Amino acid sequence: MEARIETLTEKKLIGQHIEMSFIENKTFQLWSNFMPKRKQIKNTINENLYSLEVFSHGHFDNFDPGKTFQKWAAVEVGNYDEVPLEMETLIIPDGLYAVFIHYGPASEGHKTYHTIFAEWLPNSKYTVDDRPHFAVMDHKYKKEDPESEEEIWIPIKNRD
């Protein structure tokens, strides 16, 4: 699997989040609540959707699939001048990311993540950094379509 290494510049997002774990996955519930309300968000930069995970410090040190984290559904905005009711703000700070493309149905995304964390990352010169992980879903994203594509952004830093 190939990675594109990018330095991200800060992004401002508006969306909603839910506490969940990998065992108790509430992604569908989150997006079902967010999508009907997303048009209330003005000043969006583009049509891209952001699916983010905000993990606690050291979340991956002793991985536990029952440990909770924040899962976000969001869009990128130019500013926070208007934040609709029931929406929240989140900043993705500047930093280094490994970017991967997941090809195929969204339900098979776990295979791409497994390859990233079990194969690519251990064989790279990087380790996971404590910044949000996210997927960008643009016009190529088609949910369960075998032709679907989404970008997966993993925060990285050089190994010590």
Side-chain angles (χ1 to χ4, degrees), residues 1 10-11 39 47-48 57 102 133 142 147 151:
M1 173 167 280
E10 180 182 281
K11 290 186 178 294
K39 293 295 183 196
E47 292 294 310
N48 295 350
H57 178 74
H102 168 68
H133 297 224
K142 300 176 180 85
E147 302 295 312
E151 285 189 342

Side-chain angles (χ1 to χ4, degrees), residues 123-152:
N123 292 304
S124 75
K125 63 180 185 178
Y126 303 104
T127 186
V128 176
D129 200 5
D130 286 322
R131 285 176 282 117
H133 297 224
F134 62 95
V136 180
M137 295 161 291
D138 64 12
H139 67 281
K140 296 177 190 166
Y141 178 75
K142 300 176 180 85
K143 297 183 182 163
E144 290 304 301
D145 189 311
E147 302 295 312
S148 183
E149 292 181 27
E150 64 185 284
E151 285 189 342
I152 297 172

Side-chain angles (χ1 to χ4, degrees), residues 4-5 73 75 81 102 144 157:
R4 182 176 86 233
I5 307 301
V75 294
D81 293 348
H102 168 68
E144 290 304 301
K157 62 184 177 184

Side-chain angles (χ1 to χ4, degrees), residues 10 17 19 24 41 48 52 76 82 107 111 120 133 155:
E10 180 182 281
H17 84 274
E19 288 283 329
E24 190 181 357
I41 303 170
N48 295 350
L52 296 97
E76 185 177 3
E82 291 183 53
S107 61
K111 295 176 184 175
W120 185 85
H133 297 224

